[in-house]
């Protein structure tokens, strides 16, 4: 398995899109910290950007990559290799490549310019989001045979997590604004990894105070040890779920 | 060597394989023939574990291949259309596959096709710029490289030039005499004449017949494979009519 | 003749008084080691010097015009007891003392120094430590509280007093004091024509300045920083607030300044920096808010719909998350000539004024005002995109809350400050 993973990582690092992604992240990170005097504001800008770009980039690229690797998968399947091995190699390869791109592009500038808990948290969140959206991309790719359709499904997932989910929550809050729904909303946000990540990081910055009473409820939760642990656990669960689904789908898939 | 029992596969409503029963042994050269969409490729892919059958079982050397991967050590596969990862060079491909196949020691390797197709010369070429025929050559060389007991070739002659075609056929013939099992699908029946010992005919997902070539020759009193098939088909039409 | 005689008599009387003024020296382990005794023995207009040492005394009542001067920072320690100095006479000066450890009482607002219905009293250069209330003025006028340092050790609001507490008074000057760790730094209730200048009020539990029912007052050049809620100015009129700094009031319900039910005031040249809300205005009318700097606040101005005819002119809004928030669709206030950090317009004619007006109200700020729970969507892509759409095609934000002359560059307030 490690041999195939190694091959995939090498293959990915020859890919100019990943390099471009890394350079873009790096430019953006340095840019934010240099243009924005306040470290906290820069971090928030970076949070906005990375929560948008990281899931989008990973899911689109990973879906594409899965389809491009289709022949490779078939070739490997003709060898005495387990399906599990082949898929894990692809997943791991993508995780390593994107993870490294993120650590170099986002992590290093952030830790150089502003070494803080919030920075570490943002890096951790972005890493987990990377893994999650790679896994979702694999689900979309394995699920649909057609490349165009698969891309569509991936983009739909992305739009859902980045936009539609929040819209639905807003609608929910609007309709139940007379009730104390903060606690419920708190648990609903656990259903969206991007929201979990955003709030986790936000709570480490001064922006937390902006959020008023509901902020206080969230603050209590997301700054306590067990709250953070639960949030990260939720993110790990969010990684495990699509990974599990993709392996199930792949196990039964006709190639 | 390979037992296929009551094999069924549906793609949606389309019943691609219906109750297939076949048995192949070492030393046979099996021609798997039939019109387009008759289920040949699906059968081969099922054998390789790429397509998961709905019902029935396949035994390789007496044990079921369901959820297994190790039996593929003994199979060399050449797909219908050879496609490889884009960014790879020919040499890298061979290195990588050899890397993956650490179960086979280097002294067992069969370099014959590799040499006769002159693959060494295109080592530094990227796979995505190779022509279809060149890819087929690479694919064929790979299939034979690990000296497997069973060779599965899906339309192997489709893109090959006549010279290469002859090389491949010669290699196949030799393999059969050496006691290997060769499973070939092809439209071009002329190509199969010299290497076929048995013929399996598939149509609409069903096995029409599976007989040895001698038997067929006797039954139809024809000599050439394409004539035999034509004879049988015409005969059937006559019966149906 | 009679007239001359009268003047002569008055002159004589005065000089006799001055001539007869004595000095008293209180020292530990001397014949006069008790302050209370010295105050008792002293005649009107005498001076009592209190020398270096620690005096455990409380309830020293001064009922005649006296000057009390601490020499070498003497300490008067109430030792958890009652109030220390009670001034019940006009013309008293108290300076140079260190007063400490007044006991907390839930029945009485004990203070280190209490002024009761007096005039012309000066409290200067004293240090007050852990005294529940610090300096407490009631029904007094023309008094000065200058350069005192008042430090409490309040841990919660309930058993904390105010550092400088003034109730029913006029013509008071509170200048250059440092007040911290109390419930309120400076408390004004029914205090007119007074001046608060150059004070520093930090780390108080509730308000840096708590200001109610007080009219015609000026506060200027003060720093209010790290207070629980910030500064509250309520139910007052004709207040001038000039060149103060409101900083670091950062918490769920904090603000730089709360303007509640106040009218006809002026707010000029102040700096609001890093507050959750810079200015929170409820029922504020005819206030002129000009030449202030709003920097890095959560919400620079939250102006409620019941505020009328306020003028917000020539301020700088830099680095705030939200610039203006309101809970009304209509706008009865005037915004003009401010610099808005979030202005996205352009200036083709290069006159320094943006060619398109600026709408400083942010949609998301409005939404969270109505649905507080929506706060959790802060910095989400949904919210960011909604805001962008709303800026282009306003639907929900008040149409008339608009700055028609947004500045392209931050306004330099130096010129303004020089004229002050």
């Amino acid at each position: 398995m490690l041999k195939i993973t190694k091959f995939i990582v090498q293959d990915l690092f020859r890919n100019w899109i990943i390099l471009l992604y890394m350079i873009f992240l790096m430019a953006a990170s340095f840019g934010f910290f240099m243009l924005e005097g306040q470290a906290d504001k820069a971090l928030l800008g970076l949070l906005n950007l990375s929560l948008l770009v990281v899931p989008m980039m990973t899911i689109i690229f990973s879906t594409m990559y899965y389809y491009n690797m289709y022949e490779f998968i078939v070739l490997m399947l003709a060898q005495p290799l387990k399906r599990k091995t082949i898929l894990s190699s692809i997943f791991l390869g993508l995780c390593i490549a994107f993870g490294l791109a993120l650590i170099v592009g986002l992590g290093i500038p952030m830790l150089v310019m502003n070494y803080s808990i919030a920075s570490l948290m943002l890096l951790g969140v972005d890493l987990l989001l990377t893994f999650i959206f790679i896994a979702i991309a694999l689900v979309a790719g394995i699920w649909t045979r057609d490349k165009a359709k698969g891309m569509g499904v991936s983009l739909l997932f992305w739009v859902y997590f980045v936009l539609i989910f929040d819209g639905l929550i807003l609608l929910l809050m609007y309709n139940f604004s007379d009730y104390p729904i903060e606690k419920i909303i708190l648990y609903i946000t656990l259903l969206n990894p991007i929201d979990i990540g955003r709030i986790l990081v936000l709570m480490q910055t001064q922006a937390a105070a902006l959020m008023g009473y509901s902020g206080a409820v969230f603050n209590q939760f997301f700054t306590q040890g067990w709250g953070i642990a639960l949030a990260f656990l939720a993110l790990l669960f969010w990684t495990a779920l699509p990974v599990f689904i993709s392996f199930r789908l792949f196990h039964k898939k006709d190639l | 060597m390979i037992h296929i029992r009551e094999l069924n596969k549906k793609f949606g409503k389309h019943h691609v394989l219906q109750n297939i029963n076949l048995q192949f042994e070492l030393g046979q050269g099996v021609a798997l023939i039939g019109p387009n969409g008759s289920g040949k490729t699906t059968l081969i892919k099922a054998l390789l574990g790429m397509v998961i059958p709905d019902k029935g079982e396949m035994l390789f050397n007496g044990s079921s291949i369901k959820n297994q991967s190790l039996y593929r050590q003994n199979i060399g596969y050449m797909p219908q259309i050879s496609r490889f990862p884009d960014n790879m060079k020919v040499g890298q491909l061979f290195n990588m596959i050899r890397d993956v196949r650490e179960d086979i020691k280097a002294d067992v390797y069969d370099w014959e096709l590799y040499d006769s197709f002159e693959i060494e010369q295109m080592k530094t070429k990227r796979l995505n710029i190779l022509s279809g025929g060149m890819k087929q050559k690479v694919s064929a060389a790979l299939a034979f490289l690990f000296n497997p007991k069973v060779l599965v070739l899906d339309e192997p002659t489709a893109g090959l030039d006549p010279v290469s075609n002859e090389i491949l056929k010669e290699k196949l013939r030799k393999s059969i005499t050496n006691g290997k099992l060769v499973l070939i699908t092809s439209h071009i029946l002329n190509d199969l004449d010299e290497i076929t010992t048995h013929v399996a005919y598939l149509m609409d997902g069903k096995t029409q017949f599976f007989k040895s070539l001698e038997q067929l020759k006797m039954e139809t009193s024809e000599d050439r494979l394409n004539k035999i098939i034509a004879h049988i088909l015409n005969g059937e039409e006559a019966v149906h009519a | 003749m009679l007239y001359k005689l009268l003047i002569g008599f008055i002159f004589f009387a005065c000089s006799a008084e001055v001539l007869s003024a004595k000095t008293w020296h209180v020292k530990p382990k001397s014949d006069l080691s008790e302050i209370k005794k010295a105050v008792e023995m002293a005649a009107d207009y005498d001076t009592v010097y209190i020398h270096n040492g620690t005096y455990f005394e409380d309830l020293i009542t001064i009922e005649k015009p006296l000057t009390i001067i601490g020499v070498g920072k003497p300490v008067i320690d109430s030792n958890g007891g009652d109030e220390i100095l009670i001034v019940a006479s006009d013309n008293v000066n108290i300076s140079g003392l260190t007063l400490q450890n007044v006991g907390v009482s839930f029945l009485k607002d004990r203070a280190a120094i209490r002024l009761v219905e007096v005039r012309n009293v000066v409290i200067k250069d004293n240090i007050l430590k852990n005294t529940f209330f610090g300096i407490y003025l009631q029904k007094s006028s023309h008094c000065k509280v200058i350069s005192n340092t008042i430090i409490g050790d309040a841990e919660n609001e309930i058993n904390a007093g105010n550092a400088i507490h003034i109730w029913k008074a006029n013509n008071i000057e509170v200048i250059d004091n440092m007040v911290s760790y109390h419930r309120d730094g400076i408390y004004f209730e029914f205090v007119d024509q007074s001046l608060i200048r150059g004070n520093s009020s930090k780390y108080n539990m509730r308000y840096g300045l708590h200001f109610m029912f007080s009219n015609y007052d000026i506060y200027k050049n003060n720093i209010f920083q790290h207070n629980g809620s910030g500064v509250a100015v309520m139910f007052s009129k004709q207040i001038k607030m000039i060149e103060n700094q409101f900083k670091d009031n950062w918490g769920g319900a904090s603000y730089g300044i709360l303007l509640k039910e106040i009218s006809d005031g002026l707010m000029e040249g102040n700096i609001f920096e890093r507050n959750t809300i810079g200015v929170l205005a409820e029922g504020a009318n005819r206030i002129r808010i000009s030449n202030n700097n709003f920097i890095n606040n959560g919400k620079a101005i939250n102006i409620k719909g019941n505020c009328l005819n306020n003028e917000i002119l020539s301020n700088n809004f830099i680095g705030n998350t939200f610039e203006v928030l309101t809970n009304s669709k209509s706008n009865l206030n005037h915004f003009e000539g401010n610099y808005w950090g979030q202005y996205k317009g352009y200036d083709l004619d290069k006159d320094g004024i943006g060619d398109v007006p600026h709408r400083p109200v942010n949609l998301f700020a409005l939404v969270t005002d109505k649905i507080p729970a929506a706060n959790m969507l802060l910095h989400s892509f949904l919210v960011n995109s909604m805001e962008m759409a709303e800026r282009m095609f306003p639907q929900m934000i008040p149409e008339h809350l608009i700055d028609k002359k947004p500045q392209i560059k931050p306004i330099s307030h130096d010129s303004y400050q020089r004229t002050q």
Side-chain angles (χ1 to χ4, degrees), chain A residues 3 71 77 81 83 254-255, chain B residues 9 49-50 52 72 102:
Chain A
K3 284 187 176 135
E71 288 79 41
L77 258 181
L81 292 170
R83 288 191 170 201
D254 296 322
L255 289 154
Chain B
K9 179 67 188 175
M50 291 173 191
I52 316 275
R72 288 197 291 266
E102 52 195 348

Side-chain angles (χ1 to χ4, degrees), chain C residues 199-254:
Chain C
N199 300 287
S200 149
S201 176
K202 297 177 180 177
Y203 298 104
N204 295 293
M205 299 290 108
R206 193 168 65 183
Y207 297 118
L209 170 66
H210 191 174
F211 195 98
M212 292 187 294
F213 309 108
S214 300
N215 306 320
Y216 308 100
D217 298 309
I218 297 174
Y219 64 94
K220 192 173 169 182
N221 294 114
N222 302 288
I223 296 180
F224 304 102
Q225 197 172 11
H226 290 296
N227 295 299
S229 297
V231 167
V233 180
M234 306 187 277
F235 312 103
S236 303
K237 59 184 182 185
Q238 299 284 1
I239 308 297
K240 290 197 170 95
M241 302 163 260
I242 298 165
E243 291 179 28
N244 301 287
Q245 297 181 36
F246 303 85
K247 288 182 172 177
D248 299 298
N249 298 295
W250 196 270
S254 301

Side-chain angles (χ1 to χ4, degrees), chain A residues 97-148:
Chain A
F98 270 99
L100 279 176
L102 195 75
I103 287 169
V104 173
L106 188 79
I108 290 180
M110 212 156 55
L111 300 183
V112 167
M113 306 293 284
N114 177 42
Y115 182 78
S116 66
I117 299 278
S119 294
L120 284 175
M121 200 76 112
L122 179 59
L123 183 60
V125 161
D126 276 335
L127 270 176
L128 281 169
L129 285 178
T130 301
F131 303 157
I132 290 168
F133 280 87
I134 288 172
I136 293 177
L138 290 182
V139 170
I142 295 167
W143 190 32
T144 45
R145 186 169 289 269
D146 184 55
K147 195 170 179 171

Side-chain angles (χ1 to χ4, degrees), chain B residues 54-82:
Chain B
D54 301 328
K55 266 191 272 174
E57 62 173 351
M58 286 183 284
L59 304 178
F60 191 92
N61 228 349
S63 49
S64 169
I65 64 165
K66 197 175 179 191
N67 292 337
Q68 295 301 312
S69 56
L70 280 179
Y71 74 96
R72 288 197 291 266
Q73 285 176 342
N74 302 313
I75 300 180
Y77 172 54
M78 180 180 169
Q80 191 168 11
I81 305 161
S82 299

